[in-house]
């Protein structure tokens, strides 16, 4: 009996001693557990963490990988918004149109914007009949709605719930125009004058012109330039007809003002298009020139031009002014010498012409001196002395 009791007591003691390290291992801190993990386990945990962060990323938020221009301040002292039509058939804007089909890693602006819209990386806003922009959240439009509206062929996978469209079915060759909203403003905080694009709208041009039809314009959607600027910094464009290696980004193309467009509308009190009050094409051209002149004159008369530009213009004008002054001095010197000669020539001519007159006056004076003098009585005869 005693042996059985001693055996049970010793068994309990041994069990307690063996179980105590296991409890301590279970009570270790998370820091100690982290240090005890192997590098392979750490590498296996990293993809799960990245996936978790991807799930926690808010929808519709795009992280800017490329720096963009500073946004326009809301408290500017002067601003004027104009709308321009960019014709992609012109050489200044052809970089936005070619190539119409993606090739060699290059694509045009519309193909790139539509790709971003399909991936839901940017937001597009619907237009109305007058092609006005409305950046309200309720006015957003999806890529599928645009494909249905403009009859783009696409394939839909009902299982994966995805949409697939080939590059040949994207009407990038029919987008021949762009509507651009441009803000010209004066920033009193930095005393500078700026002109920047604030919105873009691709315009679809369709029609059988070759068979006597007319072309119709269909403004597709508006996008905020600040939303697409980080992505446009990654879109390379060809910048020269003579050097095919010269490229620049689409963001630089718009920021540097490399585009060329005619004004078709300005923000005014009556919200009217230029075509609504310009009766003829000549009236339209004169109105466009007048508005361009107003923008140029305001920029010239406001202390907002870059000092470097002013210094460059002054240095370029200084040699011309000095050359003009030297030319004026030379002209004055050259003109002064002939004048002296002319004065001298004139005096000689006067002396030669006055010589006969002086001789005549001298002869008359000599005759008067030889003539007899009259008497004091006033008689008109003289008395001669007679010889005795």
């Amino acid at each position: 009996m005693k042996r059985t009791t001693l055996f049970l007591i010793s068994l309990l003691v041994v069990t307690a001693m063996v179980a105590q390290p296991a409890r301590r291992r279970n009570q270790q801190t998370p820091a100690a557990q982290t240090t005890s993990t192997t590098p392979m386990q750490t590498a296996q945990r990293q993809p799960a963490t990245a996936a978790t962060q991807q799930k926690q990323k808010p929808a519709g938020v795009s992280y800017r990988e490329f720096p963009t221009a500073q946004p326009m301040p809301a408290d500017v002292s002067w601003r004027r918004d104009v709308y321009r039509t960019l014709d992609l058939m012109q050489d200044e804007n052809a970089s936005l149109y070619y190539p119409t089909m993606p090739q060699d890693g290059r694509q045009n602006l519309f193909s790139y914007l539509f790709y971003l819209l399909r991936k839901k990386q940017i937001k597009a806003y619907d237009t109305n009949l007058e092609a006005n922009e409305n950046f309200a959240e309720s006015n957003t439009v999806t890529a599928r709605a645009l494909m249905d509206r403009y009859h783009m062929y696409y394939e839909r996978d009902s299982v994966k719930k995805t949409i697939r469209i080939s590059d040949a079915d994207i009407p990038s060759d029919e987008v021949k125009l762009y509507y651009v909203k441009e803000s010209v403003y004066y920033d009193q905080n930095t005393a500078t004058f700026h002109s920047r694009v604030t919105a873009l709208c691709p315009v679809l041009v369709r029609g059988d012109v070759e068979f006597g039809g007319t072309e119709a314009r269909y403004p597709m959607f508006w996008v905020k330039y600040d939303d697409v600027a980080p992505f446009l910094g990654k879109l390379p464009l060809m910048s020269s007809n003579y050097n095919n290696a010269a490229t620049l980004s689409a963001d630089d193309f718009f920021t540097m003002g490399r585009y060329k467009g005619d004004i078709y509308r300005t923000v005014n009190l009556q919200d009217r298009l230029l075509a609504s009050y310009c009766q003829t094409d000549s009236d339209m051209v004169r109105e466009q020139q007048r508005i361009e002149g107003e923008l140029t004159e305001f920029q010239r008369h406001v202390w907002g031009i870059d000092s470097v530009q002013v210094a460059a213009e002054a240095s370029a004008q200084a040699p011309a002014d000095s050359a003009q002054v030297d030319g004026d001095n030379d002209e004055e010197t050259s003109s002064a010498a002939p004048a002296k000669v002319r004065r001298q020539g004139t005096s000689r001519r006067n002396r030669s012409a006055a010589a006969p007159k002086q001789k005549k006056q001298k002869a008359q004076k000599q005759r008067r001196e030889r003539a007899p003098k009259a008497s004091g009585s006033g008689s008109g005869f003289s008395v001669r002395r007679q010889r005795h």
Side-chain angles (χ1 to χ4, degrees):
M1 186 67 183
K2 293 181 180 180
R3 292 180 179 179
T4 305
T5 305
L6 292 174
F7 177 76
L8 293 175
I9 293 173
S10 61
L11 182 62
L12 291 175
V13 172
V14 171
T15 304
M17 293 175 62
V18 173
Q20 188 173 2
R23 288 181 187 173
R24 290 180 180 176
R25 285 195 299 268
N26 293 333
Q27 293 178 357
Q28 286 179 349
T29 59
Q33 292 180 358
T34 304
T35 55
S36 62
T37 55
T38 61
M40 184 176 295
Q41 293 176 350
T42 305
Q44 292 178 355
R45 291 179 182 179
Q46 288 179 352
T49 305
T52 306
Q53 293 178 354
Q54 186 69 21
K55 291 181 180 179
Q56 294 177 354
K57 178 181 177 180
V61 175
S62 59
Y63 296 103
R64 298 191 171 185
E65 301 178 2
F66 282 75
T68 57
Q70 293 295 328
M72 180 178 59
D75 59 342
V76 295
S77 59
W78 186 89
R79 188 189 76 186
R80 188 165 189 182
D81 297 332
V82 297
Y83 294 81
R84 298 182 183 272
T85 303
L86 271 60
D87 187 3
L88 302 188
M89 299 297 102
Q90 296 181 359
D91 289 340
E92 293 83 358
N93 307 321
S95 301
L96 303 177
Y97 184 73
Y98 295 100
T100 56
M101 287 285 294
Q103 58 182 359
D104 298 333
R106 297 176 55 244
Q107 56 183 334
N108 62 4
L109 179 59
F110 178 74
S111 299
Y112 190 62
L113 290 178
F114 198 74
Y115 169 79
L116 296 175
L117 183 59
R118 285 165 47 206
K119 296 297 182 180
K120 297 182 180 180
Q121 294 181 330
I122 61 173
K123 290 183 179 181
Y125 300 87
D126 206 354
T127 63
N128 53 16
L129 297 177
E130 296 181 357
N132 295 331
E133 75 280 5
N134 182 9
F135 296 125
E137 192 67 24
S138 59
N139 198 41
T140 56
V141 61
T142 61
R144 182 177 176 181
L146 293 173
M147 288 187 288
D148 293 336
R149 181 185 304 176
Y150 298 106
H151 308 289
M152 304 180 196
Y153 177 77
Y154 62 91
E155 297 177 356
R156 182 174 57 184
D157 190 348
S158 58
V159 178
K160 297 182 180 180
K161 296 182 180 181
T162 57
I163 295 176
R164 181 180 179 275
I165 182 171
S166 63
D167 296 333
D169 295 325
I170 298 176
S172 59
D173 58 333
E174 295 180 328
V175 179
K176 301 179 181 180
L177 298 174
Y178 273 92
Y179 290 157
V180 173
K181 184 179 180 181
E182 181 184 84
S183 295
V184 184
Y185 65 94
Y186 174 75
D187 188 0
Q188 73 277 5
N189 298 319
T190 57
T192 52
F193 194 88
H194 299 276
S195 175
R196 66 189 308 270
V197 176
T198 57
L200 296 172
C201 175
V203 181
L204 198 67
V205 180
R206 287 178 175 176
D208 296 331
V209 182
E210 297 179 357
F211 298 96
T214 57
E215 290 183 343
R217 299 181 179 182
Y218 303 96
M220 302 184 68
F221 56 87
W222 283 93
V223 293
K224 294 181 180 179
Y225 187 81
D226 290 338
D227 294 343
V228 300
F231 302 100
L232 295 183
K234 297 182 286 186
L235 177 63
L237 301 176
M238 186 179 297
S239 60
S240 175
N241 287 328
Y242 306 102
N243 184 8
N244 301 135
T247 59
L248 78 166
S249 65
D251 183 33
D252 292 337
F253 180 84
F254 287 106
T255 304
M256 298 170 60
R258 299 286 294 271
Y259 57 90
K260 179 182 179 182
D262 298 328
I263 298 176
Y264 74 91
R265 179 189 170 193
T266 60
V267 177
N268 48 60
L269 296 177
Q270 298 179 354
D271 197 18
R272 294 190 303 171
L273 300 174
L274 268 65
S276 62
Y277 61 90
C278 295
Q279 302 298 328
T280 60
D281 294 340
S282 59
D283 295 339
M284 175 75 76
V285 173
R286 283 194 295 269
E287 182 65 14
Q288 291 172 348
Q289 293 177 353
R290 185 188 67 82
I291 297 173
E292 295 283 1
E294 289 179 352
L295 298 177
T296 304
E297 288 299 323
F298 184 85
Q299 183 176 3
R300 288 182 179 275
H301 288 82
V302 173
W303 184 57
I305 305 177
D306 191 4
S307 59
V308 177
Q309 181 180 357
V310 174
E313 293 178 356
S315 60
Q317 189 177 1
D321 294 341
S322 60
Q324 185 178 2
V325 170
D326 295 339
D328 293 341
N329 294 333
D330 295 340
E331 185 178 357
E332 290 177 359
T333 305
S334 61
S335 61
K340 186 176 181 181
V341 173
R342 285 195 297 270
R343 287 196 296 270
Q344 293 176 356
T346 304
S347 61
R348 293 195 189 98
R349 287 195 298 269
N350 292 337
R351 288 197 296 269
S352 61
K357 185 176 180 181
Q358 292 177 358
K359 291 180 179 180
K360 185 177 180 180
Q361 292 177 354
K362 186 177 181 180
Q364 292 177 356
K365 183 178 180 181
Q366 290 176 356
R367 285 195 300 268
R368 285 195 300 268
E369 289 179 352
R370 288 195 299 265
K373 295 182 180 180
S375 60
S377 60
S379 59
F381 60 89
S382 61
V383 176
R384 291 182 179 182
R385 293 182 180 179
Q386 296 180 357
R387 291 181 180 181
H388 296 283

